[in-house]
Amino acid sequence: MSDKAAPAAAAGGSRAGMKKELPERFRDYKHVWVLIEMERGVVHPVSWELLGEGRKLADKLGVELAGALLAGPGDASTKAIEEAFSYGADLVYLMEDPLLADYRNQPYAAAMTDLVNTFKPEILLMGATNLGRDLAGTVATTLATGLTADCTELAIDHEGSLAATRPTFGGTLLCTIHTLNFRPQMATIRPRVMAMPEAQEGRTGRVVRHSLVMAESDIITKILDFIPDANMDKAQLAYADIVVAGGMGLGRPENFKLVTDLAQVLGAEYGCSRPVVQKGWMPAERQIGQTGKTIRPRLYIAAGISGAIQHRVGVEGSDIVLAINTDPNATIFEFAHMGIVGDALQILPALTEAFRRRLAVNRLAG
């Protein structure tokens, strides 16, 4: 969501025609913040990925990088703060309260809004997780500021504003959005879109504590019980080292056994493109791309996938992309590191057998 989008388009239709006129009340907003997303004592890795990206933005602006941690009392906060410093934070704003022990939109939004209004960051980044998406929308609405969701790239423009790039029109185009006249500039980024930074052990920083002014009686929702997601350990595409995926080029749902067979031999995760999920051939948790999972494996094998932009932005962080397609002009060959022009129904079984033999020889040699 960009502020004043329609008038800006009428005035010039481009960034050049938009004028940054930051009101006086926002001119003392400084520094880059990242929400440290912690649930039940565990920090989501996207928090560290965003600290790595936030460090680049803060250095470009010449300001500090801060983490914002909302949590219940306990040792988990201390550990999370230490990790935040190791991943680049200069300071951490900490709100500890029993009401923040479990995520609920109302107390978390009130806490984050109070932190922002008190300490005034110019940029606020959150992970595009279930929690982050729910919280970011509420906070942006409460603060009456702009929010760009599911970004694939962040930069600082020549005027010192955040330039947030995301896919649009169903993933067919990329657009860059600016929040020119409001603060903070907010963005959410999906897990694995940004690279995990290298931790710097022994790095330290400051902790700024702030109190939550709220009582349990003020909160509409109540925590009755915690039931873990039964599927949480099934599909781990985002953090897999090797991923094998199939697209509509495989022709029929039963042919996806060729994908799972190769994945099993390689000890890999398996996935698919969006049209496959839309056809009902695979569950949504296996979808790769902007509207599915973003992956950064060492090896990504894509069989029968055309390579539409919404798929590309979900896989371009892969170290090696191997594409298999019968169409030599398929878009996926434009960004694949290696390509095989041929029928995936023949090539996948051949690869599976070749890897099975090679890995068997390696085990015997070892």
Side-chain angles (χ1 to χ4, degrees):
M1 178 173 66
S2 61
D3 43 84
K4 309 296 184 185
S14 69
R15 174 68 177 87
M18 300 167 68
K19 183 68 174 175
K20 179 180 176 182
E21 297 177 358
L22 196 62
E24 184 66 34
R25 69 184 185 277
F26 292 131
R27 290 180 184 172
D28 57 348
Y29 279 60
K30 300 292 180 186
H31 311 302
V32 177
W33 284 20
V34 171
L35 173 69
I36 301 173
E37 182 181 321
M38 185 166 74
E39 287 195 279
R40 307 190 77 80
V42 178
V43 176
H44 197 295
V46 73
S47 304
W48 312 140
E49 296 165 10
L50 295 188
L51 280 177
E53 194 66 16
R55 182 74 269 167
K56 300 173 189 175
L57 301 177
D59 290 346
K60 182 74 179 289
L61 290 167
V63 299
E64 289 187 310
L65 172 65
L69 177 60
L70 313 178
D75 295 337
S77 295
T78 301
K79 185 176 184 298
I81 290 169
E82 291 174 353
E83 286 190 272
F85 291 147
S86 73
Y87 284 113
D90 298 308
L91 71 157
V92 172
Y93 292 99
L94 173 64
M95 293 186 79
E96 272 189 319
D97 192 283
L99 301 183
L100 300 173
D102 289 288
Y103 176 73
R104 287 178 285 178
N105 181 274
Q106 189 179 354
Y108 265 62
M112 184 58 69
T113 301
D114 186 28
L115 276 177
V116 168
N117 286 331
T118 302
F119 298 104
K120 303 180 178 179
E122 58 187 308
I123 293 173
L124 173 57
L125 307 178
M126 298 187 189
T129 59
N130 291 337
L131 186 157
R133 285 172 170 154
D134 184 61
L135 180 61
T138 305
V139 171
T141 301
T142 304
L143 295 171
T145 190
L147 167 64
T148 307
D150 289 349
C151 298
T152 57
E153 184 179 352
L154 301 174
I156 302 299
D157 73 6
H158 66 282
E159 291 187 337
S161 293
L162 179 67
T165 300
R166 72 177 308 278
T168 187
F169 289 106
T172 59
L173 295 173
L174 293 173
C175 65
T176 299
I177 300 174
H178 302 257
T179 301
L180 297 179
N181 304 324
F182 297 90
R183 293 294 182 268
Q185 303 158 96
M186 291 182 61
T188 61
I189 300 91
R190 294 158 58 87
R192 302 298 279 165
V193 167
M194 304 302 178
M196 179 70 75
E198 186 175 341
Q200 302 175 44
E201 299 300 331
R203 195 175 182 280
T204 61
R206 311 189 310 280
V207 178
V208 178
R209 293 181 177 271
H210 195 67
S211 299
L212 176 67
V213 183
M214 180 175 275
E216 179 64 44
S217 58
D218 299 325
I219 305 172
I220 297 173
T221 55
K222 307 299 177 185
I223 301 295
L224 302 180
D225 195 6
F226 175 76
I227 302 173
D229 184 355
N231 295 319
M232 66 184 299
D233 294 323
K234 290 186 178 179
Q236 298 293 335
L237 281 165
Y239 295 93
D241 284 334
I242 305 174
V243 176
V244 183
M248 293 301 296
L250 295 184
R252 299 160 60 183
E254 51 267 35
N255 290 334
F256 278 80
K257 188 176 185 301
L258 302 177
V259 170
T260 57
D261 286 349
L262 178 56
Q264 185 176 19
V265 167
L266 294 175
E269 281 285 353
Y270 65 91
C272 63
S273 60
R274 182 170 66 179
V276 171
V277 171
Q278 292 172 333
K279 282 278 191 179
W281 293 358
M282 272 201 175
E285 66 185 32
R286 294 290 175 180
Q287 182 180 327
I288 298 170
Q290 175 63 19
T291 53
K293 296 290 192 301
T294 300
I295 60 174
R296 300 181 72 93
R298 289 183 297 157
L299 172 62
Y300 174 51
I301 300 175
I305 294 175
S306 63
I309 191 170
Q310 75 86 23
H311 189 80
R312 176 175 182 167
V313 298
V315 306
E316 60 187 357
S318 307
D319 290 346
I320 297 175
V321 176
L322 168 60
I324 305 168
N325 204 295
T326 55
D327 180 5
N329 298 313
T331 306
I332 197 166
F333 289 127
E334 296 177 6
F335 60 90
H337 301 89
M338 295 181 286
I340 301 174
V341 178
D343 187 352
L345 301 183
Q346 298 176 2
I347 294 169
L348 285 174
L351 283 176
T352 301
E353 184 59 28
F355 278 121
R356 182 181 286 115
R357 291 179 179 176
R358 181 60 181 267
L359 292 171
V361 170
N362 288 348
R363 282 193 293 269
L364 290 174

